[in-house]
Amino acid sequence: MPLDIPALCRILHGLLIHEAWIERQGFDPAAFSGQSRATLPVSKRLDQLLAIDPRPLTIARPGESRALATCRDFALMLCAVLRQHGVPARVRCGFGTYFAGHPFHDHWVCESWVQGERRWGLVDAELDEPHRTGLKFDFDPTDVPRTAFITGIEAWTRCRSGAMDPAQLGHGPTTGLFFARVNLARDLLALAKSETSPWDTWRAAREPHVSLDDAALSLCDNLAQRGEEGAVEIAPSLRVPPWQ
């Protein structure tokens, strides 16, 4: 694949399709009924793509021949290609402001190093022309403004400082400080290169785990601070969700 981020994003649009956009792009959901929404390691995703269609990955697949994906898959695939080219890149979990449902909606993007500008840039590899038409965003998806996406670490810090109402962020019916904790954990895990989803079972959480006591709040505050400082480590409490 080429080392050109806009071109890479267009290639991914021809390989993957987000589960929530199948019908909106005019395709039949039944064509994807045998596929799982679970995020796959890149090696397994490549096996899947080539099993569906053995042609080079640079050739766009018809809609029904694409692999079912979520935003994390687009981010992970782009991250993998950039790393293969020697470009520093990482997957980030956080919240986007350009979706319906929540002012800050659960989302994943790829963060890559912009060498000429000495900064990290955000790339939303999922956003194609149907997304632009449907969501009506006005920015370049290959350089997402920091006002349009905040990381899980940033969201937790804002909520705890009072700068953000936790009710503004979430995924479907799940919202509030509990979900801020979910994306804080997933953002930290992604920074430690654990980007796939065997551990990602927050939908199964029930009381008392959705309520955060003082010990949980203090732990998350400490982890968020260490993440902001670049000292990323996988605490035992994040390895396996406590509700498992």
Side-chain angles (χ1 to χ4, degrees), residues 40-51 76-77 80 196:
L40 298 176
V42 171
S43 60
K44 292 185 178 180
R45 179 66 73 192
L46 293 174
D47 288 343
Q48 178 197 36
L49 289 166
L50 294 172
L76 184 59
M77 286 287 287
T196 53

Side-chain angles (χ1 to χ4, degrees), residues 73-94:
D73 296 287
F74 284 90
L76 184 59
M77 286 287 287
L78 177 61
C79 181
V81 176
L82 292 176
R83 286 177 178 173
Q84 180 70 19
H85 279 289
V87 177
R90 55 199 188 186
V91 177
R92 301 304 302 264
C93 176

Side-chain angles (χ1 to χ4, degrees), residues 9-146:
C9 291
R10 289 191 294 271
I11 289 171
L12 293 180
H13 299 158
L15 298 174
L16 306 173
I17 186 166
H18 194 288
E19 59 169 357
W21 286 76
I22 293 173
E23 290 184 274
R24 281 186 269 187
Q25 295 200 32
F27 304 122
D28 183 4
F32 305 89
S33 59
Q35 297 189 37
S36 169
R37 71 181 303 281
T39 301
L40 298 176
V42 171
S43 60
K44 292 185 178 180
R45 179 66 73 192
L46 293 174
D47 288 343
Q48 178 197 36
L49 289 166
L50 294 172
I52 295 172
D53 188 329
R55 293 179 297 169
L57 298 175
T58 51
I59 298 176
R61 276 56 169 160
E64 288 79 1
S65 294
R66 297 174 194 168
L68 184 68
T70 66
C71 52
R72 177 163 32 184
D73 296 287
F74 284 90
L76 184 59
M77 286 287 287
L78 177 61
C79 181
V81 176
L82 292 176
R83 286 177 178 173
Q84 180 70 19
H85 279 289
V87 177
R90 55 199 188 186
V91 177
R92 301 304 302 264
C93 176
F95 301 91
T97 64
Y98 40 97
F99 296 96
H102 298 279
F104 293 86
H105 195 278
D106 171 40
H107 195 48
W108 296 72
V109 298
C110 178
E111 199 172 42
S112 65
W113 185 247
V114 184
Q115 181 64 37
E117 301 176 23
R118 306 295 297 172
R119 66 178 177 90
W120 288 99
L122 296 175
V123 182
D124 192 334
E126 176 193 340
L127 299 181
D128 56 11
E129 284 308 310
H131 281 78
R132 183 181 293 278
T133 300
L135 300 175
K136 296 180 172 55
F137 57 87
D138 59 358
F139 54 82
D140 179 359
T142 66
D143 193 7
V144 178
R146 293 284 171 174

Side-chain angles (χ1 to χ4, degrees), residues 162-232:
M164 174 180 286
D165 180 357
Q168 291 185 306
L169 49 83
H171 181 115
T174 307
T175 186
L177 202 57
F178 166 74
F179 203 84
R181 177 191 182 274
V182 169
N183 275 14
L184 169 64
R186 299 199 292 181
D187 195 29
L188 290 167
L189 285 161
L191 288 176
K193 297 186 178 181
S194 180
E195 303 99 345
T196 53
S197 57
W199 43 265
D200 191 2
T201 57
W202 58 267
R203 291 176 179 81
R206 300 291 184 270
E207 291 291 352
H209 303 297
V210 295
S211 299
L212 305 183
D213 59 19
D214 288 342
L217 293 173
S218 178
L219 171 65
C220 290
D221 289 342
N222 181 58
L223 290 171
Q225 181 177 353
R226 291 181 63 80
E228 287 181 329
E229 295 169 352
V232 178

